[in-house]
Amino acid sequence: MKSIYILLILLINPFFSVLPQKVVSGTPVRQMEALNRGIVAIRKSQGEVFISWRLLGTDAEKTGFNIYRGSQKLNKKPLILTSFVDNTTENDLYTVKAVLKGKEESATSTCAVWQQKFLKIPLNRPAGGTFTYSPGDASVADLDGDGQYEIVLKWDPSNARDNAQDGYTANVIIDAYKLDGRQLWRIDLGKNIRAGAHYTQLMVYDLDGDGIAEVACKTADGTVDGKGKVIGDSNANYVNEKGKIVSGPEFLTVFSGLTGEALKTVDYIPGRGDQCAWGNNECNGNRVDRFLACIAYLDGIHPSLVMCRGYYGRLTICAWDWQKSELKQRWFFDSDKGHPEYMGQGNHNLSVADIDNDGKDEIVYGSSAYDDNGEPIYTTGMGHGDAMHLSDLDPDIPGLEVWAVKETGGRGGVLHSAATGKILFTVPGPGDTGRGLAADIYPNHRGFEMWSSTSKGIYTVKGEKITDAMPSVNFRIYWDGDLQDELLDKTYIDDWDYINHKPVRLLDASLDGGSSINGTKATPVISADILGDWREEVIFRGSDNASLLLYSTTIPTDYRLVTLMHDPVYRLGVAWQNVVYNQPPHLGYYIGDGLKK
């Protein structure tokens, strides 16, 4: 079950459409998800229901849609747009069918009406003790091959710790849920995996192209899979007197997304080695246990699992292929092997894109980048940072760009070419610049705008200051009907009033019992194009810690775009979103002021 990815984009006046790529003989075709229409229906008022659905990357250019309430067809001619407002008080099932050349497709998507503006997803909260569990980071993927996304959720114990802190932590629990709250399985990572943002990075993706996603993460002796089977020695305990785990074997396990069963376990590469070599000569289990992860199409066709260790000092990246139920190491990069200039050039996050336009993905690791074969491409020498954003930030110059903030040297925010590392401009800031965001919030300025926690204002992609006003510095999201970004922070979604330079509140999930996660980072559980048309959904933690609240927009739009999940840069951004200091996904192309053929 594979679908072809899209690269061609066409402006059809007045509707904007993203079209599938015409496959030329011999052209590699990326393995992508086969999704259904993802129809969603939400009651806006007593007399209105808003319905939206996916346009797929495999859809023909002239694909239209018929929408049904029960057995009643609601449109006279096939709909061009992928949303519809039904003026009704009825609550029947809605169905959407694609239409091409006058014929309806046999496949359909059907949904019931949400009676409120969000979907409340019940959870099976793990039992605590002297601690409690709350929902944490999540990822989405098709775990059962039905064309719809399921949720893989990491539970955070209340005694989770930062690597720099001593102290015992409870076990990390990972669950899988259907959107109706049905639990598929539970994995307990056991006492030998510490709880905290830097330890467990969840990769959830269809690694072998069979239509059912796998789940991969670091494991250890005592991990219990979704079938109740223990990995390694169930009696082993490597927690030291300070509550840290700096000895004992370390594993990498691939689990079935359908059942949670451990399919294959190998040694985690690299091991700890010299624990003092991972930054600042710290030998206390801090820098050594800084992990990142991502998915990348390193051959341009198949996804590879990429697991990383270290970024303050020694920096390592290991790529794996999952085929025929085997994990095969593809390559391994180690800054200790002749690349000292790459030490310390990592980040608390990473991004993946084809930055050199060769059809294969590269890994941008903060201040450094690595080719599809594991060879280093460049380092900017700007050092470690907490936030970064990769997209076509400046549509007037070729290729993609990276906006990142830096921790040392007063470097503040830095914009550089993703392909070459060339510095395009900087906005210096005092001390540790911990937050930064790139988003297109001004339609009267071409390209993205960017700012940071120390920038004292908003800058254009050319480095020109627009205003001293400061928006939130967290996530971006497509929510209303235009082509600009909205701002997502804590439990809020705000539009940016670009005339008066101030936020306009569109949503406050706290009024419905929603909460953010990750403490002062105040991120959502996940934001992604999970359902409906090309606008994005956001999932918040329920304040009862036993539910998730999923929100989807009910604002009409005049634009027709392929689901964002069929853009490679965006889809892989959703896969790595849960990694350490969460960052929002971005598209691999620019849509801010419309697209030309």
Side-chain angles (χ1 to χ4, degrees):
M1 296 177 65
K2 304 176 183 178
S3 60
I4 301 167
Y5 193 55
I6 47 149
L7 290 177
L8 300 181
I9 299 169
L10 178 69
L11 182 63
I12 301 176
N13 188 29
F15 304 120
F16 187 129
S17 179
V18 180
L19 304 179
Q21 181 182 14
K22 181 179 180 180
V23 180
V24 180
S25 178
T27 302
V29 179
R30 260 179 203 248
Q31 172 196 315
M32 293 297 286
E33 291 163 309
L35 299 174
N36 66 15
R37 294 292 168 192
I39 185 173
V40 60
I42 307 170
R43 181 157 294 285
K44 289 185 65 173
S45 66
Q46 186 176 357
E48 282 189 331
V49 175
F50 178 83
I51 311 105
S52 73
W53 57 91
R54 293 186 183 110
L55 179 68
L56 303 173
T58 49
D59 284 332
E61 174 184 346
K62 295 184 179 180
T63 299
F65 299 95
N66 289 334
I67 186 77
Y68 294 83
R69 183 193 334 112
S71 59
Q72 181 183 356
K73 183 180 172 184
L74 301 179
N75 54 294
K76 293 182 179 180
K77 294 182 179 181
L79 301 171
I80 298 300
L81 298 178
T82 53
S83 63
F84 184 84
V85 176
D86 185 17
N87 297 306
T88 182
T89 58
E90 296 182 31
N91 290 307
D92 211 337
L93 295 177
Y94 284 89
T95 303
V96 65
K97 298 181 181 182
V99 182
L100 185 62
K101 296 180 180 180
K103 295 183 178 180
E104 287 187 339
E105 68 177 0
S106 57
T108 62
S109 291
T110 300
C111 71
V113 179
W114 298 3
Q115 294 304 313
Q116 51 194 355
K117 61 186 175 182
F118 60 92
L119 178 67
K120 188 168 186 177
I121 304 170
L123 303 174
N124 176 19
R125 188 184 187 190
T130 57
F131 56 90
T132 57
Y133 280 100
S134 61
D137 294 322
S139 193
V140 294
D142 185 356
L143 302 182
D144 56 11
D146 65 354
Q148 181 160 295
Y149 288 122
E150 283 75 44
I151 299 169
V152 177
L153 174 72
K154 178 165 67 88
W155 288 94
D156 291 329
S158 55
N159 57 5
R161 307 279 184 177
D162 186 81
N163 297 50
Q165 300 172 333
D166 292 341
Y168 159 84
T169 76
N171 295 7
V172 176
I173 305 295
I174 301 169
D175 282 355
Y177 294 94
K178 301 283 287 183
L179 294 185
D180 61 7
R182 283 180 288 164
Q183 185 176 0
L184 298 180
W185 45 257
R186 170 166 289 173
I187 295 169
D188 184 338
L189 293 185
K191 64 173 71 73
N192 293 309
I193 293 290
R194 206 164 185 251
H198 301 277
Y199 295 103
T200 296
Q201 318 309 330
L202 277 177
M203 289 297 102
V204 187
Y205 208 84
D206 182 5
L207 296 173
D208 57 8
D210 66 354
I212 296 175
E214 286 75 37
V215 178
C217 66
K218 186 172 178 284
T219 58
D221 280 332
T223 294
V224 181
D225 76 3
K227 291 282 193 177
K229 182 180 178 181
V230 178
I231 295 173
D233 182 357
S234 61
N235 297 314
N237 187 346
Y238 301 106
V239 182
N240 67 19
E241 68 281 358
K242 294 184 177 181
K244 294 192 174 183
I245 303 160
V246 293
S247 63
E250 301 173 284
F251 305 135
L252 170 63
T253 300
V254 174
F255 299 90
S256 164
L258 182 61
T259 67
E261 178 184 6
L263 302 176
K264 186 71 176 183
T265 297
V266 298
D267 289 337
Y268 192 93
I269 296 176
R272 300 178 184 91
D274 179 2
Q275 294 180 38
C276 307
W278 297 91
N280 299 357
N281 290 316
E282 291 191 16
C283 311
N284 59 358
N286 180 5
R287 308 302 196 202
V288 65
D289 274 357
R290 302 287 180 140
F291 300 98
L292 300 175
C294 63
I295 304 296
Y297 287 72
L298 301 174
D299 65 358
I301 303 173
H302 308 100
S304 295
L305 172 66
V306 181
M307 305 300 289
C308 317
R309 185 175 210 149
Y311 39 80
Y312 284 101
R314 184 184 176 192
L315 184 157
T316 65
I317 306 172
C318 189
W320 300 86
D321 291 335
W322 173 251
Q323 295 294 331
K324 298 180 179 179
S325 300
E326 291 293 332
L327 264 177
K328 182 179 179 181
Q329 185 178 321
R330 188 177 186 89
W331 50 254
F332 176 57
F333 172 82
D334 189 345
S335 62
D336 273 6
K337 306 298 182 182
H339 300 287
E341 70 274 23
Y342 285 82
M343 293 183 66
Q345 301 302 316
N347 238 53
H348 281 310
N349 25 66
L350 75 177
S351 194
V352 178
D354 177 10
I355 61 175
D356 58 8
N357 203 31
D358 66 352
K360 304 174 184 178
D361 284 336
E362 286 74 44
I363 299 164
V364 179
Y365 205 81
S367 292
S368 56
Y370 304 86
D371 211 345
D372 54 83
N373 60 4
E375 290 297 313
I377 303 173
Y378 64 79
T379 173
T380 65
M382 289 287 183
H384 163 77
D386 288 0
M388 61 175 283
H389 303 271
L390 181 151
S391 185
D392 189 7
L393 304 179
D394 187 344
D396 293 330
I397 60 176
L400 306 175
E401 294 79 37
V402 178
W403 170 250
V405 297
K406 305 300 174 183
E407 189 167 288
T408 58
R411 297 184 175 106
V414 179
L415 183 72
H416 77 258
S417 163
T420 67
K422 178 184 177 181
I423 304 299
L424 301 176
F425 75 84
T426 64
V427 181
D432 176 358
T433 300
R435 302 282 185 102
L437 183 58
D440 186 13
I441 58 174
Y442 282 86
N444 54 344
H445 291 281
R446 184 163 160 79
F448 278 59
E449 289 72 47
M450 45 212 64
W451 58 99
S452 75
S453 55
T454 61
S455 66
K456 298 181 180 179
I458 306 170
Y459 289 78
T460 72
V461 76
K462 304 299 185 184
E464 300 163 349
K465 192 171 187 178
I466 298 172
T467 175
D468 290 334
M470 282 289 292
S472 57
V473 192
N474 205 345
F475 271 46
R476 48 126 325 264
I477 189 170
Y478 292 123
W479 190 259
D480 65 13
D482 62 30
L483 298 176
Q484 271 64 53
D485 292 292
E486 282 67 58
L487 302 169
L488 170 58
D489 182 40
K490 302 182 177 70
T491 58
Y492 312 137
I493 294 177
D494 291 334
D495 196 8
W496 184 251
D497 178 350
Y498 66 93
I499 302 298
N500 298 302
H501 311 292
K502 64 180 184 180
V504 178
R505 181 88 1 115
L506 301 179
L507 175 73
D508 182 358
S510 69
L511 300 178
D512 305 314
S515 301
S516 60
I517 63 169
N518 291 322
T520 58
K521 298 290 186 291
T523 61
V525 170
I526 188 171
S527 70
D529 185 6
I530 299 170
L531 289 167
D533 64 24
W534 60 275
R535 273 85 58 80
E536 294 166 280
E537 282 65 47
V538 58
I539 298 179
F540 295 105
R541 170 178 65 91
S543 57
D544 59 4
N545 285 323
S547 63
L548 300 175
L549 307 185
L550 189 160
Y551 289 82
S552 186
T553 187
T554 59
I555 302 172
T557 179
D558 290 332
Y559 297 97
R560 165 186 166 110
L561 280 79
V562 161
T563 173
L564 307 189
M565 295 296 244
H566 276 175
D567 173 67
V569 174
Y570 184 91
R571 181 63 185 91
L572 298 179
V574 172
W576 55 244
Q577 185 182 144
N578 71 87
V579 170
V580 191
Y581 292 169
N582 308 37
Q583 302 291 287
H586 291 275
L587 286 167
Y589 53 91
Y590 181 68
I591 67 171
D593 53 10
L595 297 175
K596 296 181 179 179
K597 191 172 181 179

